[in-house]
Amino acid sequence: MKKIFVNQVGYLKNNHKKAVFNFKPSSFTILDANENCVFEGTATHFGKDSISGEDLSIGDFSQLSTTGGFKVIADGVESHCFSISDSCYDKLLKNVCKCFFYLRCGSGLCKEHSGIYYHKPCHLKKASVYGEDVQPVDVSGGWHDAGDYGRYSTAGAVAVAHLLYSVRFFKDLLCVKFDIPEEKCDNGLLPDILAEAKVELNFLMKMQRENGSVWHKVTTFSHAPFIRPEDDTEELFLFDVSSLATADIAAVFALAFTIYKDYDISYANLLLERGLKAYKWLKENPNPLLFKNAEGSNTGEYPEPEDYSNRFWAACALYEATGNKEYYNDALLQKENIMNYDGTASEQGAHRNPLTCFGWADVAGLGSLSLFLRNEDNDICLIAKEQFLSEASRLKNNAAQNGFNLCMTKDDFIWGSNMELLKYLMILTIENKIKPDESNDALITSGLDYLLGCNSMDTSYVTSEGENAFKNPHLRPTFAANIPAWPGLVSGGPNLGLQDEIASALPKDLPPMKCYTDHVQAYSLNEITIYWNSPLVFVLAGLI
Ligand code: G3I
Ligand code: 9MR
Ligand code: ZN
């Protein structure tokens, strides 16, 4: 079927703008809301690319800078509507941020701010420490991880870190209001983004044991059926501590200290104290303490094959927060471990610019961000900057291989492919700060265009954002309440692995970009998570 793919949300007034056709239009026109023609252009034939499986043509209309609502027409085919304006992503950013609020666990939701998405307090029972005969522990609060009700320390730490680094790099984010309850601080009110991040930081503090180590996760033994959060009353378990979780929270607490100290000094000091306590445990326990699910338990595992990047991040973040050279020296040692590691199970594969990784597993890139923020030309910074540059040029090459100018390759279409993309857009955003380059801008824009509908599924992967936004996330609370999903949720997206029953019933040999269906039970394609939303906050904050 002939289609015209566009960014269904819109384009910034003075930025790149393109439509992609899966046919060869003789010419194309753009109509405004009154059906008046405001632009005419000819498309350039790109040809067939392997990630979309389509024969594509590209229509550039960057020159059009009239604001308003528009659609593209060619050979009798119409695109979805989109807007052009400097504020076209403002609502999107607010919605993406508000999702963390709706995902709050415990008694964090109030009717005033959650409307139809309100649910009663949930998961307040104390959690049993799995395999130990000790008193159950209160670990209430924080955010549900995803479509499931688990709360996982590494995933949570990384999601908050994306938000907090966004704030460090793009101060304007502090002014964004997204309708959540007010939270007081020393000199008035906390900015919304910090009030929301604090919810998860408070929970992560509860996940720390007396000796400084951190439980990897708190979940029921098995995933709940599709019921409301308050109806999920099975016993909660704190599963083993891991050096992964301990290092990640040491890092995120140190990072949080650098921000909250300007708002609430006693809270900031508490964060630093807890971060140092976690770090002390890490130093006393130098061997990796990795994580495996308990026999028979099927909740998220978040496994990692080593803990070098986690320890690296912790050392970098503490160095940035304290200036103590001891942490820098630790970071140097961990950097060697990272560079020498040749595991194949690692998130971005071995030796591929690991100091740029921002995922839930490989987190060395977050360490690099802390070092960049310290603004010293030390050895690690120099190497990290080389890696960001090298990664940006690799991404540029990737984008030249397909008609969407998308910086991904076939290998990126794994579970959560939209996060693979968003991590790349974070890298390009940072690279633009280090060394501004027009071609990085173009790649960031194309990446966002892809996420918001300019893709061969013709689908916006953010709920309620675009005429053909996906509607059926793998998400328990809204499905159980039989209401539409709330706006601003990022779908995991196409995944060649097709790792669930619905996905595995899709036609075989689909091109990577089409390994997707908007089905509520397709959890390997269409779940949502906190750490798929959080990198979008970073990217939008950078763009706006
Ligand atoms: O790292 C390998 C790479 O080397 C290989 O080339 C590629 C191709 O198979 O796979 C990569 O591993 C992937 C891994 O994530 C690392 O990204 C696996 O295929 C993929 O199955 C795995 O998916 C993870 C999934 O859990 C299953 O473990 C997702 O990243 C992760 O986001 C997801 O997390 C779940 C939680 O467990 C539970 N809560 C919901 C959440 C989102 O679905
Ligand atoms: O709903 C679960 C989702 O959050 C996880 O990402 C996924 C993988 O851990 O598992 C989902 O739960 C499924 C379970 O693993 C198998 N039975 C069906 C469950 C979904 O209804
Ligand atoms: Zn809950």
Side-chain angles (χ1 to χ4, degrees), residues 229-281:
E230 60 266 39
D231 296 332
D232 180 27
T233 53
E234 291 286 301
E235 183 172 9
L236 288 171
F237 292 102
L238 281 157
F239 290 98
D240 295 351
V241 300
S242 69
S243 54
L244 308 162
T246 308
D248 285 8
I249 71 110
V252 80
F253 288 173
L255 168 65
F257 165 79
T258 66
I259 298 172
Y260 288 86
K261 70 178 173 34
D262 297 334
Y263 298 90
D264 184 341
I265 191 66
S266 55
Y267 185 64
N269 285 335
L270 177 64
L271 285 163
L272 186 59
E273 187 191 302
R274 296 301 208 90
L276 290 169
K277 191 167 164 184
Y279 201 79
K280 182 163 178 286
W281 182 91

Side-chain angles (χ1 to χ4, degrees), residues 105-126:
C105 182
S107 49
L109 280 196
C110 53
K111 287 192 175 145
E112 185 194 346
H113 296 276
S114 55
I116 61 163
Y117 307 117
Y118 174 77
H119 64 73
K120 293 186 194 142
C122 58
H123 304 108
L124 286 175
K125 267 196 281 183
K126 288 189 175 176

Side-chain angles (χ1 to χ4, degrees), residues 46 48-51 396-403 406 408-409:
F46 178 86
K48 191 162 171 161
D49 71 53
S50 56
I51 59 170
K396 211 169 298 169
N397 286 333
N398 291 350
Q401 313 300 314
N402 66 78
L406 179 66
M408 300 168 80
T409 67

